Amino acid sequence: MSDPKLTAVGHDEVGAGGVTGTHDEEAGARQNSLWSDAWRQLRRNVLFWIGAVLGLLFVGMALLPAVFARGVDPRSCNLSNSNAKPSAEHWFGFDQQGCDYLANVVYGARNSLIIGLLAVIVILVLGVLVGAISGFYGGVTDSILSRIADIFYALPLILGALVVLRSGILGRGVVAVAIALALFGWMTAMRLVRSQVIAIKSSDYVAAARAMGASDARILVRHILPNAVAPVLVYATITIGILIAAEATLTFLGVGLQPPAISWGLQIDTGQSLLRTAPHAVLFPSLILTLTVMAFVLMGDALRDALDPKQRS
């Protein structure tokens, strides 16, 4: 005969595991439904495809610059070609040093995109971590972290990064510019995550997971954060474009990347003095910069609409 106590214990363990598994499956089903519905919306959005195609084009430029530059070395210069205008052979003309300008603009994509992507990664790490802790624990923890965010909010993104870079603490390289921008750009992501966590932590499936003895870390990682990341991803997509423009602004102001680095901000800064004699020196990097920012903004707007149930027909 089997022991009734062992049988009862076995049923309790199976029941508890079944309940926990059921709640995990329900949370996963909700997430799958959310993203599958969003994808169906995105596929019908023309603006999303415009942004995606442009975004892939510029990412390709950053990854394979030699292909887009037609094998031309951006540092191979001839002063006899200084400020020469665009032609059939050299589509973007030449810069002041007689370097092929198409090659320079193409190679400038790498630093600009790396800064934007790296800064967004740091922003997401800081924003999600601080926002999750603040919203989940509340009370004094929430008050302290929210006040710290308010302090950083007091300084605008460009001004804060300018002060940090001018101090020389981080240097002037790609990583330094990305960190300087991220230090003054994480607060919105933090507030988005915080508000989502506060709204979700009172849900029935979170209460059930807590009743089953799930730890705080498990509840946050398995039940709350997967349902709170959608608005943060929308913000991050749009912010990549904003940060690329911010890097160009800092470089234009003389506190971002420095020669011999190649970036769109440096090209615009150098070309401003040649606006009358060689307008292409400003036109082409400015146009590519604008299209890059527009690409990420279009994708972010489309993603926001796709993840918003109110926008669905």
Side-chain angles (χ1 to χ4, degrees):
M1 290 179 63
S2 61
D3 191 336
K5 292 182 179 179
L6 293 177
T7 303
V9 171
H11 282 304
D12 288 344
E13 289 176 350
V14 171
V19 171
T20 303
T22 299
H23 287 297
D24 286 348
E25 290 172 2
E26 289 176 357
R30 275 191 299 271
Q31 281 300 104
N32 291 335
S33 176
L34 172 67
W35 291 108
S36 61
D37 290 345
W39 175 238
R40 281 197 295 270
Q41 292 290 323
L42 289 174
R43 284 186 301 179
R44 298 196 296 264
N45 193 323
V46 177
L47 294 179
F48 167 75
W49 287 111
I50 294 174
V53 170
L54 287 174
L56 288 174
L57 174 65
F58 297 127
V59 169
M61 285 172 56
L63 295 176
L64 302 169
V67 174
F68 289 85
R70 301 188 298 173
V72 178
D73 185 353
R75 302 190 188 280
S76 177
C77 309
N78 187 341
L79 285 175
S80 63
N81 294 323
S82 179
N83 293 332
K85 295 181 179 180
S87 63
E89 294 183 0
H90 302 278
W91 297 347
F92 285 11
F94 293 86
D95 64 10
Q96 195 170 22
Q97 283 73 42
C99 309
D100 185 86
Y101 213 38
L102 172 62
N104 272 268
V105 172
V106 167
Y107 277 84
R110 176 171 294 179
N111 283 333
S112 297
L113 285 174
I114 287 176
I115 288 174
L117 292 172
L118 181 58
V120 161
I121 291 172
V122 177
I123 285 172
L124 288 178
V125 171
L126 286 174
V128 171
L129 179 63
V130 177
I133 294 173
S134 179
F136 187 76
Y137 290 104
V140 177
T141 302
D142 183 29
S143 298
I144 293 173
L145 294 177
S146 295
R147 297 298 77 77
I148 292 174
D150 290 340
I151 292 172
F152 279 89
Y153 258 126
L155 278 175
L157 175 66
I158 297 296
L159 179 59
L162 187 150
V163 171
V164 171
L165 291 172
R166 190 173 289 279
S167 68
I169 297 174
L170 300 176
R172 293 285 187 87
V174 170
V175 175
V177 175
I179 292 175
L181 289 170
L183 284 175
F184 297 91
W186 60 271
M187 299 81 67
T188 300
M190 174 266 184
R191 288 192 170 181
L192 286 172
V193 174
R194 174 183 174 273
S195 63
Q196 290 292 307
V197 170
I198 290 174
I200 294 171
K201 72 177 182 179
S202 58
S203 301
D204 292 340
Y205 62 88
V206 174
R210 194 185 299 277
M212 291 297 104
S215 64
D216 289 350
R218 180 182 174 83
I219 291 173
L220 268 173
V221 174
R222 293 294 299 276
H223 297 282
I224 294 180
L225 287 181
N227 294 287
V229 296
V232 183
L233 291 179
V234 173
Y235 169 75
T237 305
I238 296 174
T239 303
I240 293 174
I242 295 173
L243 292 173
I244 291 173
E247 177 274 323
T249 302
L250 290 172
T251 303
F252 180 80
L253 294 174
V255 295
L257 298 179
Q258 301 292 315
I262 302 176
S263 80
W264 296 329
L266 282 171
Q267 291 159 4
I268 294 171
D269 181 35
T270 303
Q272 65 168 330
S273 60
L274 307 171
L275 194 57
R276 291 186 177 181
T277 57
H280 65 275
V282 173
L283 173 63
F284 291 117
S286 300
L287 178 62
I288 299 299
L289 174 63
T290 301
L291 290 175
T292 304
V293 174
M294 186 182 73
F296 287 103
V297 171
L298 286 176
M299 286 190 289
D301 284 344
L303 186 59
R304 179 198 60 202
D305 294 341
L307 292 171
D308 185 359
K310 297 178 181 178
Q311 300 290 334
R312 296 176 189 166
S313 55

